[in-house]
Amino acid sequence: MTGTAKATVFIDNERVIVTEYRFAPGANTGWHRHGHDYVVVPLMDGKVKLVTKDGVTFAEMKKGAPYFRKEGVEHDVINANDGEYAFIEIELK
C-alpha cells in the first residue's frame, strides 16, 4: 500500500497480522487487495470513504464494533472525517 495513512504492525506471525491504521483527515490506505480474510475493529466512531472498481461508497464505523471481510476485497480506504480516524485490522493467515 502506498497511501498516506500511518500503518503500525503490532503482530505478524504464522497465524495473524495485526495492524493499526491512523488517518489524518483525507488520508488513505492506497489501492490494495486483501490477501487474507480479515477483521476490522474501529477505535472510534466515524465515517470512511471506500473507493472500489464499482464506485464510491461511505461506511459508518462504530467504536469497538468489529466486522469481517473475505480475502480478495480490493479498495482504497479514505478518512471522511474532519479529525483523525483509526482502526485495527486483523488479517487471518
Side-chain angles (χ1 to χ4, degrees), residues 9-56:
V9 176
F10 290 112
I11 301 169
D12 186 349
N13 62 30
E14 67 283 349
R15 310 262 329 248
V16 298
I17 304 169
V18 179
T19 307
E20 178 188 75
Y21 287 92
R22 290 209 167 261
F23 300 76
N28 71 318
T29 58
W31 185 265
H32 62 281
R33 179 187 184 279
H34 286 269
H36 305 283
D37 292 351
Y38 65 100
V39 174
V40 170
V41 182
L43 297 177
M44 56 193 69
D45 291 343
K47 183 169 34 173
V48 294
K49 179 179 178 180
L50 302 166
V51 179
T52 70
K53 64 179 176 53
D54 297 322
V56 175

Side-chain angles (χ1 to χ4, degrees), residues 40-76:
V40 170
V41 182
L43 297 177
M44 56 193 69
D45 291 343
K47 183 169 34 173
V48 294
K49 179 179 178 180
L50 302 166
V51 179
T52 70
K53 64 179 176 53
D54 297 322
V56 175
T57 59
F58 290 86
E60 291 291 333
M61 310 285 271
K62 297 295 177 194
K63 179 181 179 180
Y67 65 87
F68 170 83
R69 296 288 183 270
K70 297 286 281 174
E71 169 188 359
V73 172
E74 293 184 57
H75 59 188
D76 187 8

